[in-house]
Amino acid sequence: MSMVSEINSFVSRHWQIEEAHDGAIWSMDLQPDKHGFVTGGADKSVNIWEFELVADEENEGLSKRLSCAHLKALKMTDDVLSVKFSPDQRFLAVALLDSTVKVSSCSRLCPLLSRTL
């Protein structure tokens, strides 16, 4: 078995693949509490995820596996170049291709500020 086949086999057994972007992912940021992350990309969307270690009942050799769940998708007006959580995880900043930076409250995910640079 080739190394590529072994990797593909491992990924299909241990990872759940979620389709959330229709294009390239340009940015990703881990939440400061390390329980989730955010992605942004060429499809003009920002996706918010959570993850946790859960018991793996299918594979006896592994006691835990990483479970990832898609929580929310936000549509933007242009390609998302960068996403970043504030250190206290209260805000999410999103930089777009049109030089706009949008800042949203993480609790409501509603835009609080939008500025073009």
Side-chain angles (χ1 to χ4, degrees):
M1 184 183 274
S2 74
M3 184 174 208
V4 171
S5 297
E6 289 179 33
I7 291 171
N8 285 338
S9 175
F10 178 83
V11 167
S12 66
R13 285 191 322 261
H14 302 294
W15 290 0
Q16 178 180 346
I17 308 277
E18 293 263 354
E19 298 291 332
H21 285 279
D22 293 329
I25 296 173
W26 297 125
S27 183
M28 181 172 144
D29 191 36
L30 183 65
Q31 288 179 353
D33 68 4
K34 297 180 178 52
H35 290 180
F37 60 96
V38 62
T39 57
D43 59 355
K44 302 178 184 177
S45 69
V46 173
N47 288 288
I48 299 171
W49 307 82
E50 70 178 0
F51 58 84
E52 65 180 334
L53 286 174
V54 296
D56 189 358
E57 292 136 11
E58 295 178 12
N59 299 296
E60 296 171 19
L62 297 173
S63 60
K64 302 249 182 188
R65 67 177 174 79
L66 188 63
S67 172
C68 184
H70 185 245
L71 297 179
K72 185 161 182 130
L74 305 170
K75 286 309 274 180
M76 297 288 137
T77 56
D78 209 342
D79 290 16
V80 177
L81 299 181
S82 183
V83 290
K84 183 71 178 157
F85 284 105
S86 63
D88 62 5
Q89 199 172 314
R90 291 179 49 216
F91 302 103
L92 175 65
V94 179
L96 304 179
L97 184 62
D98 66 0
S99 299
T100 301
V101 175
K102 296 183 181 284
V103 178
S104 298
S105 163
C106 287
S107 62
R108 296 186 187 152
L109 291 174
C110 59
L112 298 174
L113 178 68
S114 179
R115 294 283 188 255
T116 302
L117 303 175

